[in-house]
Amino acid sequence: MKRTILALILALWLVAPVNSQTTTKVNSPARRAADNITAAQMKDYLSFIASDEMEGRDTPSRGLNTTAKFIATMLSRWNVKPAGDDGYFQKIVLRGTVPDADKSSLEINGQKFNLGDDVLRIAGMSETALSAPLVYGGDGWLIKSKNIDALAGVDIKGKIVVLYGNGMPSGFTLTPLPNGTARQDLTGQRGTDWADPATYARSKGAAGIIVIASDGAQSKWSAVKDFYSRGRFVVDKLTPATAPDNFAFPVIFVSQKVANTLFTGESVNPLQAGMSTGGSAAFEMSANKKVSLTVATKTETVMTQNVVGIIEGSDPVLKSEVVALGAHYDHIGMNPLASGDQINNGADDDGSGTTAILSIAEALSKAPKKPKRSVLFVWHCGEEKGLWGSDYFTSFPTVPLEKVVTQLNIDMIGRTKKTGDTNPLNKELSGANEIYVIGSKMMSAQLGSLSEAVNNSYLKLTFDYRYDAPNDPNNFYGRSDHYNYAKKGVPIIFYFDGVHEDYHRPGDEVSKIDFDKMQRVTRTVFLTMWELSDLKARPVIDKQLPAERMKR
């Protein structure tokens, strides 16, 4: 009987947090340090990080580099130890393809149009001249819920599809959504129940796409030219030089001068007929029209960086292990084609996480007593491009990955759903005392228990675990930087406030941030970090990730 009781006590000790009551006690060193994380402090930092001067922190961009230097400067001021391969920076080489104007052109019945003047590359390449029949495809959209099928009644296989929409292209699509539709109408499976113009045309076998500038785009041609002259980059060391071009399907953007030449001799010119809503407007263009398209590219390389710092632990043995905290400091940059505000400031996504980790680093650096394990801080670049920075760090870690006992990822913790908000885009936004906690129980029962115990003995946030479901259609588990750590066997916790009306839009600004909520969440993460740092043994991994969570 005594052996049975002893075994039970030992089992409970293995899965239960050890010091949570001590860590969160009012006068504990951890609690005193956490109290130094304030809403005013975070508002100060975020007002710089998400300012217009940072130009949306695209990867790569000068705004991102400036933000990296700001973070590094603060770490240096607080005597946080550099942990990159170049001081605080982990340098990353990006390899890109940029348009080659000298080798690219569009020719229509012998009339030549050069790249830049009237023709811009959106994506893809056709080093050899592409000659194919033309089909006009309206705005190109398929939205079954609204009975919209812009390509109905025409065969586009092997043909170049000409598209025209009454508005600006964006990162989301080549032409705006048809009049009377919104993103919430895009229900069901992409490619089957709905499809953006590029996806739909490719699925039906098109050889390429020509997008005609709307009046608004034509009036901003110099900005449009600058936007589409940018390179398409990949992480050099993570992408073989022989890898196929994911943008091999050529898509070009043309001026209205080119459009008028395209439609010379046709029964209808959509620029004059107002046929910008797709659907029945689709028709096959004259078979006598000779069109030749060449879209050439050349390679260039640019540098970007993760920002990495470390605070050594106080225990002479345990300090060789680390608790990692991370956030992505990039966003989606500027859209000069947008009407009105063109800067996507990314205050919540992920200026809030960037600021939270910065505030944690400051509070820990100034704490008279340090936790037992070391604490690693990584600000990842390129998350918005496909988790580039975390993929690079976990592939080429500057700290041995086997020494990382847990990774805590903060990606969007600054927005709150207001009482009475009926906007469907804010349906899943968390409340003032709520936060989505993802992955804490997926690999380690002990980690999940520790996370809850710290919260329950401290600020008592409402932890919402709905996105832990293996069949979560949003797959948030695979959409932020923690994913690359989990793939390598590191247990993680991901803190997230939920998508909202300003997600990836210019409205994601500092003025809409709930800094009191940010303070509560950040202090909770801080004490969770400290608790993990002081554990006698690292959290036991006793679960295998569901197969659905190993995919992005």
Side-chain angles (χ1 to χ4, degrees):
M1 185 66 175
K2 288 182 179 179
R3 287 185 178 181
T4 303
I5 293 173
L6 182 61
L8 178 60
I9 292 173
L10 180 61
L12 290 172
W13 179 83
L14 285 172
V15 299
V18 179
N19 300 314
S20 63
Q21 298 300 317
T22 302
T23 301
T24 57
K25 191 175 180 180
V26 173
N27 291 320
S28 71
R31 176 67 181 273
R32 289 199 300 270
D35 289 345
N36 289 323
I37 296 171
T38 67
Q41 166 202 40
M42 289 190 284
K43 184 176 183 180
D44 188 26
Y45 296 151
L46 185 58
S47 295
F48 178 87
I49 291 166
S51 64
D52 284 354
E53 288 78 6
M54 297 307 103
E55 300 175 333
R57 309 187 307 279
D58 194 12
T59 304
S61 71
R62 64 181 180 181
L64 187 76
N65 294 342
T66 302
T67 305
K69 290 178 180 178
F70 170 74
I71 294 170
T73 298
M74 302 309 290
L75 296 180
S76 177
R77 178 176 296 177
W78 302 327
N79 294 315
V80 177
K81 184 179 177 181
D85 51 29
D86 182 10
Y88 291 106
F89 302 135
Q90 182 186 32
K91 293 292 189 178
I92 302 173
V93 178
L94 302 180
R95 185 179 74 245
T97 57
V98 296
D100 188 340
D102 295 335
K103 298 179 180 179
S104 302
S105 66
L106 173 66
E107 192 170 308
I108 305 170
N109 285 349
Q111 184 175 354
K112 190 173 182 179
F113 298 92
N114 295 321
L115 194 72
D117 296 332
D118 291 287
V119 181
L120 304 172
R121 171 190 181 250
I122 293 180
M125 55 188 297
S126 54
E127 294 279 359
T128 57
L130 170 63
S131 298
L134 298 173
V135 173
Y136 176 66
D139 60 22
W141 277 93
L142 171 69
I143 308 176
K144 289 186 177 179
S145 66
K146 291 288 188 177
N147 295 316
I148 291 173
D149 184 351
L151 302 180
V154 292
D155 177 15
I156 68 169
K157 187 173 182 179
K159 301 173 184 178
I160 298 173
V161 180
V162 181
L163 301 177
Y164 175 53
N166 189 21
M168 295 286 192
S170 68
F172 174 61
T173 180
L174 299 176
T175 64
L177 282 162
N179 293 336
T181 64
R183 286 201 183 190
Q184 50 263 44
D185 296 317
L186 307 181
T187 58
Q189 185 175 353
R190 183 175 186 172
T192 302
D193 300 301
W194 69 273
D196 63 273
T199 300
Y200 195 26
R202 291 186 71 169
S203 71
K204 292 176 74 71
I209 294 176
I210 296 174
V211 184
I212 301 171
S214 66
D215 291 342
Q218 187 65 54
S219 68
K220 295 183 176 182
W221 189 259
S222 61
V224 174
K225 177 181 177 180
D226 177 69
F227 185 77
Y228 286 121
S229 295
R230 302 172 183 175
R232 305 286 191 269
F233 292 96
V234 295
V235 179
D236 187 60
K237 289 179 71 173
L238 297 177
T239 310
T242 56
D245 186 349
N246 291 329
F247 299 97
F249 182 75
V251 182
I252 63 170
F253 194 69
V254 301
S255 68
Q256 293 186 354
K257 175 183 175 182
V258 174
N260 286 324
T261 303
L262 275 173
F263 287 97
T264 297
E266 303 293 340
S267 59
V268 175
N269 183 335
L271 290 174
Q272 300 168 1
M275 296 173 62
S276 60
T277 56
S280 60
F283 61 88
E284 294 190 17
M285 298 173 65
S286 171
N288 296 324
K289 195 154 290 171
K290 306 290 185 182
V291 174
S292 179
L293 171 64
T294 304
V295 181
T297 60
K298 54 187 176 183
T299 301
E300 69 173 21
T301 58
V302 298
M303 300 296 297
T304 189
Q305 62 281 310
N306 291 325
V307 187
V308 191
I310 192 168
I311 295 177
E312 285 194 348
S314 58
D315 186 277
V317 175
L318 291 179
K319 71 178 183 180
S320 66
E321 296 183 336
V322 300
V323 177
L325 289 92
H328 71 90
Y329 73 106
D330 70 310
H331 192 52
I332 62 172
M334 297 177 63
N335 181 5
L337 312 186
S339 56
D341 191 354
Q342 299 178 351
I343 302 175
N344 298 288
N345 298 98
D348 190 29
D349 184 14
D350 185 28
S352 62
T354 298
T355 300
I357 301 299
L358 197 61
S359 299
I360 289 173
E362 180 179 13
L364 185 59
S365 71
K366 295 178 179 178
K369 180 182 178 180
K370 302 295 189 285
K372 294 178 180 179
R373 286 181 177 81
S374 299
V375 180
L376 178 72
F377 303 92
V378 186
W379 288 266
H380 304 102
C381 66
E383 190 269 358
E384 301 289 3
K385 293 296 200 299
L387 313 187
W388 284 356
S390 56
D391 193 2
Y392 194 88
F393 186 84
T394 55
S395 298
F396 308 101
T398 59
V399 172
L401 210 58
E402 64 271 15
K403 295 293 186 180
V404 180
V405 302
T406 304
Q407 199 263 352
L408 307 179
N409 180 38
I410 305 179
D411 191 350
M412 299 172 59
I413 60 166
R415 292 291 286 264
T416 290
K417 184 176 182 179
K418 297 179 180 179
T419 302
D421 186 349
T422 59
N423 187 336
L425 295 177
N426 293 330
K427 181 180 179 183
E428 305 301 331
L429 183 58
S430 55
N433 205 52
E434 299 175 321
I435 197 73
Y436 293 111
V437 176
I438 302 174
S440 63
K441 304 176 181 181
M442 283 192 186
M443 298 174 68
S444 171
Q446 182 186 5
L447 178 59
S449 297
L450 181 150
S451 170
E452 289 187 339
V454 170
N455 181 53
N456 291 337
S457 62
Y458 183 41
L459 295 179
K460 297 180 174 59
L461 298 171
T462 298
F463 282 180
D464 192 323
Y465 295 103
R466 74 181 67 180
Y467 296 128
D468 270 357
N471 60 348
D472 168 31
N474 304 284
N475 189 23
F476 286 124
Y477 191 87
R479 289 171 55 181
S480 191
D481 290 312
H482 61 274
Y483 171 78
N484 283 314
Y485 291 83
K487 274 202 317 181
K488 299 293 178 70
V490 178
I492 65 91
I493 306 178
F494 170 30
Y495 302 89
F496 173 56
D497 59 22
V499 294
H500 49 71
E501 60 187 324
D502 295 315
Y503 175 69
H504 282 193
R505 296 182 182 182
D508 185 4
E509 297 180 332
V510 174
S511 61
K512 299 180 181 180
I513 294 295
D514 181 347
F515 285 99
D516 289 333
K517 176 177 181 173
M518 270 187 66
Q519 175 182 293
R520 289 191 294 274
V521 175
T522 304
R523 287 181 175 183
T524 300
V525 176
F526 181 91
L527 289 180
T528 302
M529 170 274 294
W530 198 299
E531 185 72 30
L532 286 162
S533 298
D534 277 0
L535 284 179
K536 291 183 178 180
R538 61 195 297 159
V540 176
I541 298 176
D542 53 9
K543 299 179 183 180
Q544 186 172 356
L545 278 176
E548 298 91 339
R549 290 293 154 260
M550 292 301 292
K551 297 180 292 185
R552 288 195 62 227

